[in-house]
């Protein structure tokens, strides 16, 4: 390999990192916090087990346990619910002065011309943007549908793993197990679910309202620093 080849690869790698830094940094942060949750959750469970006179569990056993799985899926379903509601909600709902909102008067799915779909698709548009029938309809709503699908799958996984974790606790207390239907109608399931939902909804509302009056220079989630508070749908 010549020095020029090495420089070219290094340049391509550097460009890849720069152009994908947002996704990569958050992915690494996700993996780091997931590992931290694994360690902390195992320590917490082992403290409970030792206090009950039971042997502690190893790291691999905890990583594949229902206790760990229910905590992970519980968080995932609430996050994807937030994105699902936000994506579909911002089609029709407006907030004057917020960069998180469309401009006042533009509520709705907008015209084909504005969305560059059908006969208004451009040469560089995705192929399905100009597709007729169900393909165009599906592609034009694919982001929200995928987010909603992940939410439903995560919520189902939470209910299944939560049932197993809940029954393990009941068995340690010498109580009989409950079925899936019994668990998803229980206070434990809805307490876990609603405490996450309320925090996600509050976060979205806070972002939409606080961004009317506050600024973050250089962020596309904020209006330009000098934009008036009444400016709606403007990003910096």
């Amino acid at each position: 390999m010549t020095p020029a080849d090495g420089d070219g690869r290094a340049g391509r790698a550097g460009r890849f990192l720069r152009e994908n830094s947002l996704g990569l940094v958050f992915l690494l942060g996700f993996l780091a916090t997931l590992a931290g949750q694994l360690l902390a959750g195992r320590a917490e469970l082992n403290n409970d087990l030792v206090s009950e006179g039971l042997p502690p569990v190893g790291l691999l056993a905890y990583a594949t346990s229902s206790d760990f799985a229910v905590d992970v899926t519980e968080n995932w379903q609430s996050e994807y619910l937030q994105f699902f509601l936000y994506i579909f909600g911002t089609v029709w709902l407006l907030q004057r002065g917020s960069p998180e909102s469309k401009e006042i008067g533009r509520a709705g799915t907008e015209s084909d011309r504005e969305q560059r779909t059908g006969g208004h698709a451009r040469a560089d548009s995705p192929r399905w943007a100009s597709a007729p029938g169900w393909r165009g309809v599906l592609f034009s709503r694919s982001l929200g549908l995928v987010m909603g699908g992940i939410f439903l799958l995560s919520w189902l996984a939470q209910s299944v793993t939560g049932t197993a974790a809940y029954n393990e606790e009941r068995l340690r207390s010498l109580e009989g197990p409950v079925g899936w239907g019994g668990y998803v109608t229980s206070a434990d399931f809805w307490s876990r679910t609603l405490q996450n939902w309320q925090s996600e909804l509050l976060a979205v509302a806070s972002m939409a309202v606080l961004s009317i009056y506050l600024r973050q220079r250089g962020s596309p989630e904020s209006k330009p620093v000098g934009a008036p508070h009444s400016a709606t749908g403007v990003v910096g």
Side-chain angles (χ1 to χ4, degrees):
M1 182 178 67
T2 66
D5 292 334
D7 291 342
R9 291 183 180 179
R12 288 192 294 273
R15 184 174 65 184
F16 175 82
L17 292 175
R18 286 193 303 273
E19 294 178 351
N20 298 278
S21 57
L22 182 61
L24 291 172
V25 166
F26 277 89
L27 177 60
L28 291 174
F30 160 72
L31 295 175
T33 53
L34 184 65
Q37 179 185 353
L38 176 63
L39 296 174
R42 175 193 173 228
E44 180 182 18
L45 177 62
N46 281 340
N47 287 337
D48 292 339
L49 292 175
V50 170
S51 67
E52 295 174 9
L54 299 172
V57 299
L59 188 62
L60 180 60
Y62 179 70
T64 56
S65 70
S66 58
D67 289 278
F68 180 62
V70 69
D71 288 339
V72 171
T73 54
E74 176 186 324
N75 290 323
W76 287 7
Q77 60 90 3
S78 63
E79 295 295 338
Y80 281 102
L81 174 66
Q82 177 194 120
F83 287 127
F84 169 72
L85 293 177
Y86 187 68
I87 290 167
F88 276 104
T90 50
V91 174
W92 298 98
L93 305 178
L94 305 173
Q95 179 63 56
R96 180 178 294 278
S98 176
E100 301 297 313
S101 168
K102 294 193 293 187
E103 296 176 0
I104 301 300
R106 293 192 61 189
T109 56
E110 303 178 358
S111 66
D112 286 350
R113 181 184 295 276
E114 291 172 308
Q115 288 291 310
R116 305 176 190 175
T117 59
H120 299 283
R122 301 178 180 179
D124 59 351
S125 297
R127 185 171 59 182
W128 277 32
S130 60
W134 67 269
R135 290 182 299 165
V137 173
L138 180 63
F139 182 69
S140 66
R141 293 161 177 81
S142 55
L143 179 60
L145 290 174
V146 168
M147 291 296 183
I150 296 175
F151 157 67
L152 291 175
L153 290 174
S154 299
W155 199 20
L156 177 61
Q158 178 201 344
S159 70
V160 173
T161 56
T163 302
Y166 185 66
N167 282 333
E168 286 180 7
E169 292 181 4
R170 289 178 62 85
L171 290 173
R172 288 200 296 268
S173 302
L174 302 180
E175 297 179 280
V178 299
W180 178 81
Y183 179 68
V184 296
T185 56
S186 70
D188 182 84
F189 176 75
W190 285 104
S191 175
R192 283 177 170 270
T193 298
L194 293 175
Q195 68 179 325
N196 283 284
W197 287 6
Q198 55 86 15
S199 64
E200 302 301 337
L201 294 172
L202 177 62
V204 171
S206 299
M207 184 64 184
V209 174
L210 292 177
S211 59
I212 298 173
Y213 306 103
L214 306 179
R215 308 287 190 271
Q216 183 61 53
R217 185 170 186 146
S219 174
E221 300 303 316
S222 167
K223 293 185 286 190
V225 176
H229 291 326
S230 59
T232 306
V234 178
V235 296

